[in-house]
Amino acid sequence: NDHQLNYPSSPAEMSWQPFYPSFPATARVKFADIGCGFGGLLTALAPLFPETLMLGMEIRISVTAYVDARIRALRQIQGLLREGKDVEGNVKGEVVEGDTASTTTAAVVAAEEVNEDGATADEIREDKREAAENEHATKHLIPGGYQNVGVIRANAMKHLPNFFEKGQLEKIFFLFPDPHFKRSKHKARIITTTLLAEYAYVLQPGGILYTVTDVKDLHDWMMHHLNLHPSFEYIPTEQLLEANDPVLHSAMTSTEEGIKVERNKGQKWAGCFRRKEDPVEV
Ligand code: SAM
């Protein structure tokens, strides 16, 4: 419901300081993960680009709350580690350091709320387990201490230009987007000709748009629309994989949805496109 969504009237109206308190107020978001779900991509990319601000955009309230809690907990643990404190208990879901919440506790509390959205108990259990497994990687100090990741509740299909200036983003991710299988629902898909104009607007020339899906029909749809669009040029997937591109690797393997597909031995399709320079007007 749109009337419940908060969004700025223009990017200049937006204050990012509360999202990234350890960065200067002038720092700008460079990576956007559209429909970030439970935040697996952000936590994977955070240490690889510790100086880069990255933002997850997610429409579901409780999922956004979950990611927010996860980021806070991860930062808290990094803070404890920096002070040389033991965080073993945290990762196991126990509370250490007095009233310091543990990541796992935060994750569990937030996952409880997901139920409002009608997720089944099984799904919630699976997501909790996923989150808990992911937290094992955080017992050591990581570059940036997760200060560079944030999440916001937003309808990315409507309000991207409200949040980002023209050419602001270096990378934009569409990972395992909702497939909308029915033909009558195809116009609700996150990659359409109209929406690609907005993605082209917020991406800087040379910036990259990443798509990954386990739905072949949706992959074909996204490739079709992206290939037709004058602002984008295809980057051969093999080229990125052969170069061991860590971003594409994370995009394919680090999200909760991607992990699920892997566990079920499902197939994944990736497609990456470079934002072209705008033609020079004569
Ligand atoms: N990218 C995550 C992953 O790979 O694990 C989540 C994939 S999930 C299938 C798709 C997500 O997109 C859901 O969490 C959904 O709430 C979110 N979503 C759908 N439409 C959206 C929109 N217009 N704006 C923001 N998020 C949206």
Side-chain angles (χ1 to χ4, degrees), residues 35-37 57-60 154-157 175-176 178 190 255-257:
C36 68
M57 302 183 103
E58 173 51 56
I59 201 160
R60 285 184 289 169
N155 184 342
M157 291 169 78
L175 307 182
F176 303 93
D178 295 324
I190 200 121
T255 72
E256 282 64 21
E257 205 54 42

Side-chain angles (χ1 to χ4, degrees), residues 19-198:
F19 293 80
Y20 310 100
S22 73
F23 280 79
T26 50
R28 290 283 162 264
V29 171
K30 293 293 178 189
F31 295 180
D33 183 11
I34 307 303
C36 68
F38 292 86
L41 179 78
L42 298 168
T43 52
L45 290 186
L48 302 180
F49 302 88
E51 298 302 323
T52 302
L53 296 195
M54 37 191 93
L55 182 71
M57 302 183 103
E58 173 51 56
I59 201 160
R60 285 184 289 169
I61 295 175
S62 51
V63 176
T64 311
Y66 174 98
V67 179
D68 187 59
R70 185 177 182 185
I71 294 169
R72 282 169 199 277
L74 288 170
R75 286 179 181 173
Q76 210 162 32
I77 288 179
Q78 289 294 309
L80 292 173
L81 286 167
R82 251 194 326 272
E83 291 167 23
K85 292 186 175 134
D86 176 27
V87 294
E88 273 308 312
N90 272 26
V91 190
K92 294 201 187 91
E94 295 149 16
V95 176
V96 295
E97 290 294 318
D99 58 2
T100 303
S102 74
T103 303
T104 316
T105 308
V108 168
V109 170
E112 232 68 88
E113 295 170 37
V114 178
N115 218 357
E116 299 155 25
D117 295 319
T120 66
D122 272 354
E123 280 169 351
I124 291 169
R125 253 193 301 279
E126 199 180 334
D127 289 328
K128 273 191 211 171
R129 196 168 57 77
E130 215 79 84
E133 273 175 15
N134 289 345
E135 297 329 342
H136 284 296
T138 63
K139 281 191 284 185
H140 54 275
L141 271 173
I142 65 127
Y146 299 103
Q147 295 294 331
N148 55 329
V149 292
V151 68
I152 193 166
R153 180 177 178 239
N155 184 342
M157 291 169 78
K158 289 195 166 173
H159 300 132
L160 277 195
N162 294 82
F163 288 100
F164 306 123
E165 311 270 359
K166 183 179 196 297
Q168 177 177 336
L169 298 178
E170 289 172 12
K171 296 183 188 298
I172 189 165
F173 298 91
F174 299 91
L175 307 182
F176 303 93
D178 295 324
H180 298 294
F181 286 109
K182 280 198 203 138
R183 185 169 280 274
S184 62
K185 290 283 223 163
H186 282 181
K187 57 184 180 303
R189 285 178 166 175
I190 200 121
I191 300 279
T192 59
T193 304
T194 313
L195 287 172
L196 281 177
E198 296 207 350

Side-chain angles (χ1 to χ4, degrees), residues 202-252:
V202 295
L203 260 182
Q204 66 183 48
I208 300 180
L209 181 156
Y210 295 78
T211 71
V212 182
T213 179
D214 59 329
V215 179
K216 182 65 164 62
D217 176 51
L218 178 63
H219 174 69
D220 292 344
W221 164 282
M222 294 193 290
M223 295 307 101
H224 173 74
H225 287 85
L226 277 155
N227 276 314
L228 280 180
H229 201 282
S231 298
F232 292 98
E233 68 184 338
Y234 180 67
I235 311 168
T237 306
E238 314 79 63
Q239 200 176 300
L240 291 170
L241 291 175
E242 275 165 25
N244 281 323
D245 178 62
V247 178
L248 179 57
H249 177 78
S250 296
M252 294 188 76

Side-chain angles (χ1 to χ4, degrees), residues 264-279:
N264 300 334
K265 312 240 182 301
Q267 218 176 325
K268 299 175 194 177
W269 289 272
C272 307
F273 288 77
R274 190 173 291 111
R275 168 71 164 93
K276 293 202 269 189
E277 298 281 346
D278 288 322

